[in-house]
Amino acid sequence: MSDRTADPQPPGTVLLRRGEVHSPADPFATAMVVERGQVAWVGSEGAADAFADGVDEVIDLDGALVTPAFTDAHVHTTATGLALTGLDLSGAPSLAAALALVRDFAAARPDDRVLLGHGWDAARWPGGRPPTRAELDEATGGRPLYLSRIDVHSAVVTTALLDLIPGDVPREDAPLTRDAHHAVRAAALAAITPAQRAEAQRTALAHAASLGIGSVHECGGPQISSEDDFTGLLELAAEVPGPRVVGYWAERADEGVAKARELRAVGAAGDLFADGALGSHTACLHQPYADADHAGTAYLDAEAVAAHVVACTEAGLQAGFHAIGDAAVSAVVEGVRAAAEKLGLARIRAARHRVEHAEMLTPETVAGFAELGLTASVQPAFDALWGGEDGMYARRLGTERARTLNPFAALLRAGVPLAFGSDSPVTPLDPWGTVRAAAFHRTPEHRVSVRAAFTAHTRGGWRAVGRDDAGVLVPGAPADYAVWRTDELIVQAPDDRVARWSTDPRSGTPGLPDLTPGRDLPVCLRTVVGGRTVFVRPGE
């Protein structure tokens, strides 16, 4: 985790009062004291009077809600910033509209060495066809262009970008995947100037802060970004007030361990690919796709997983893997179990290794996660975007298999730790939207309570990096919090399986905003990290 540089003027003592403070220390708290970057006290309005004269600042919340700041447990920060400052095709309703956006973007950026865009999804377009290289060459006037698909596991590019790559690169007129995709992405990112990269990183972190996000887990690696990109981000986060950045570097075994240490990553983990993605037909399945005559691609087998987990555990680092398809998830569980047989289950559990995405789970792999102490780092917005009977999951897998994806309730029942994230820019940074997506999962049996989802998106991210003392507003915890304008607070459960006592106000269960679809989400007024204000909404 990036450490904040020492400030000659440490944060003063602050009293927040006349609001709603979401804290298990006092479910009816209306006030909080922050001192030296930590929560010092939470309690009632009457008791707050005793602190008023001894603090440096008093903030009148005027009824606002105070919660722990969110942690987004899976982010690609530079790519997120480039998506915010570059071409966003996620709203393009058709191929023709996407090409028009490319044409306008190229005309507006005459000095860029490479044009970058993201978010196209041909599966949502009439005809279902991605742009051809000739169409992109025409739209850009022959300039280098890289356009990643919404899942970031394939891309379309122009001839001019291919010409920047040494050696042989496949030039068939189809989206590039696997090694060819990695090559064109590396070429596109290499053409970005250091100033452009720093601008993108600052933009992404500022945007995260404006959404009440106090920490992000950066998932870097040699197939995703560059070492300079990764270390530059950690340095920026240490120097500029904003969200904390926890860095993971996805490189394997002994070499990965050495590189993770060199780059100051907390683990050789994140997007260490066991497979690809469902949208690109590269997630590795036990049975073939419903709309293709193959079962995807395995990048790692159980033996390779075991070797990596052993190397990381012995080095005191977290291991982690990107695994989406059921065959890939099974290989990860099998490999981690083999590592446990070699090193002992207690050492493996204590290391808190992670699995990113973990979409296609079975009862057996859920039980394996629980047994081995694996954290499921998951993205509920994937279900909101691609779930349902007419969604991408159903097209790729058929309705029955699609209905089993992202079983958050089963994971919680088994005792598997959950950490929520966005995989931004695959889906946007949107913490309350993420909580809503989990609580109102398109498959009702996978829904969890708003409270459980909120915990996975706050405390869950801290626990995923080995910190059990954070992500919650209790005395002694880091003062990472956000202030929200919202409507009445309630206790919202998915259905009658949740005990009635928990939704009764007399239970003392702290309330949260009503996230029923269609209702406005809370608006962030202020974000504080380590006692330092990193965002204030203009006009507040």
Side-chain angles (χ1 to χ4, degrees):
M1 178 176 290
S2 63
D3 295 320
R4 303 258 161 247
T5 53
D7 190 322
Q9 297 293 325
T13 303
V14 178
L15 168 64
L16 298 93
R17 62 185 308 177
R18 285 206 328 116
E20 301 277 355
V21 179
H22 186 86
S23 171
D26 183 344
F28 304 108
T30 62
M32 179 171 76
V33 173
V34 172
E35 185 174 23
R36 294 181 182 149
Q38 293 184 318
V39 177
W41 171 86
V42 293
S44 66
E45 190 59 35
D49 289 335
F51 295 97
D53 292 334
V55 299
D56 299 308
E57 182 181 6
V58 177
I59 296 176
D60 185 342
L61 295 169
D62 192 24
L65 170 67
V66 182
T67 71
F70 286 99
T71 292
D72 192 309
H74 193 119
V75 174
H76 304 287
T77 306
T78 303
T80 296
L82 291 170
L84 290 168
T85 59
L87 176 57
D88 179 6
L89 293 176
S90 60
S94 66
L95 172 59
L99 289 170
L101 289 169
V102 170
R103 195 172 289 109
D104 292 345
F105 185 72
R109 312 280 293 208
D111 299 325
D112 287 4
R113 288 193 293 189
V114 61
L115 299 166
L116 299 170
H118 169 71
W120 63 269
D121 186 0
R124 298 170 51 213
W125 294 343
R129 177 176 74 78
T132 66
R133 186 159 306 129
E135 288 170 332
L136 295 175
D137 287 346
E138 186 278 328
T140 60
R143 295 168 63 192
L145 167 75
Y146 169 87
L147 293 179
S148 53
R149 190 186 180 278
I150 191 168
D151 62 7
V152 202
H153 282 264
S154 61
V156 290
V157 301
T158 56
T159 303
L161 182 61
L162 292 177
D163 291 342
L164 296 178
I165 302 169
D168 260 349
V169 179
R171 292 185 176 240
E172 69 270 14
D173 203 3
L176 300 174
T177 62
R178 302 184 62 184
D179 291 344
H181 176 224
H182 297 152
V184 295
R185 177 164 57 190
L189 294 178
I192 297 170
T193 65
Q196 281 178 297
R197 184 177 66 213
E199 178 197 12
Q201 292 173 345
R202 283 193 298 269
T203 299
L205 292 177
H207 182 58
S210 76
L211 298 170
I213 296 171
S215 298
V216 299
H217 296 182
E218 166 67 14
C219 293
Q223 295 180 320
I224 300 159
S225 55
S226 69
E227 294 178 20
D228 287 345
D229 182 276
F230 187 80
T231 56
L233 174 64
L234 295 183
E235 289 165 6
L236 177 70
E239 295 167 359
V240 178
R244 304 174 193 263
V245 176
V246 181
Y248 287 96
W249 184 257
E251 201 164 343
R252 279 176 51 195
D254 292 337
E255 297 84 358
V257 166
K259 185 58 68 175
R261 282 182 161 160
E262 177 189 337
L263 300 180
R264 296 184 292 115
V266 300
D271 275 332
L272 185 52
F273 296 117
D275 68 343
L278 290 165
S280 296
H281 291 99
T282 50
C284 188
L285 315 181
H286 284 306
Q287 301 297 326
Y289 284 88
D291 60 349
D293 60 357
H294 62 86
T297 307
Y299 300 147
L300 298 176
D301 59 15
E303 184 178 356
V305 169
H308 184 67
V309 172
V310 167
C312 288
T313 305
E314 290 183 329
L317 290 173
Q318 283 182 286
F321 305 89
H322 161 122
I324 287 179
D326 49 3
V329 174
S330 293
V332 169
V333 170
E334 182 183 342
V336 178
R337 187 173 283 123
E341 290 169 359
K342 180 174 182 177
L343 299 181
L345 180 60
R347 285 186 72 185
I348 296 298
R349 289 179 59 89
R352 303 196 191 191
H353 302 308
R354 298 170 53 141
V355 182
E356 309 298 319
H357 315 308
E359 293 196 76
M360 291 186 71
L361 291 158
T362 64
E364 292 75 23
T365 49
V366 169
F369 273 48
E371 171 199 356
L372 299 164
L374 294 171
T375 294
S377 171
V378 294
Q379 294 75 40
F382 287 5
D383 174 74
L385 184 61
W386 295 316
E389 295 196 358
D390 300 321
M392 183 270 286
Y393 291 153
R395 292 195 295 277
R396 293 290 184 268
L397 303 172
T399 304
E400 290 307 310
R401 273 194 296 178
R403 205 173 279 134
T404 67
L405 265 61
N406 301 301
F408 304 136
L411 286 163
L412 282 179
R413 283 196 301 271
V416 176
L418 295 184
F420 281 179
S422 62
D423 197 10
S424 180
V426 176
T427 64
L429 299 171
D430 180 15
W432 285 113
T434 296
V435 173
R436 172 186 278 172
F440 294 91
H441 197 295
R442 288 175 178 270
T443 305
E445 58 262 36
H446 299 330
R447 292 174 180 170
V448 298
S449 70
V450 167
R451 184 185 181 196
F454 178 80
T455 299
H457 215 351
T458 49
R459 198 170 193 179
W462 283 92
R463 286 173 164 167
V465 296
R467 290 284 300 272
D468 293 332
D469 61 334
V472 61
L473 299 180
V474 297
D480 289 22
Y481 63 89
V483 180
W484 308 92
R485 183 193 302 124
T486 188
D487 294 329
E488 180 185 4
L489 306 181
I490 63 172
V491 176
Q492 201 164 22
D495 55 39
D496 288 339
R497 292 173 300 170
V498 177
R500 286 290 183 191
W501 66 264
S502 69
T503 58
D504 188 320
R506 292 171 296 181
S507 72
T509 302
L512 285 165
D514 183 351
L515 300 184
T516 303
R519 294 188 67 94
D520 290 339
L521 293 174
V523 174
C524 183
L525 305 179
R526 178 186 296 255
T527 305
V528 175
V529 175
R532 301 181 194 284
T533 299
V534 298
F535 169 76
V536 176
R537 180 160 297 281
E540 296 297 332

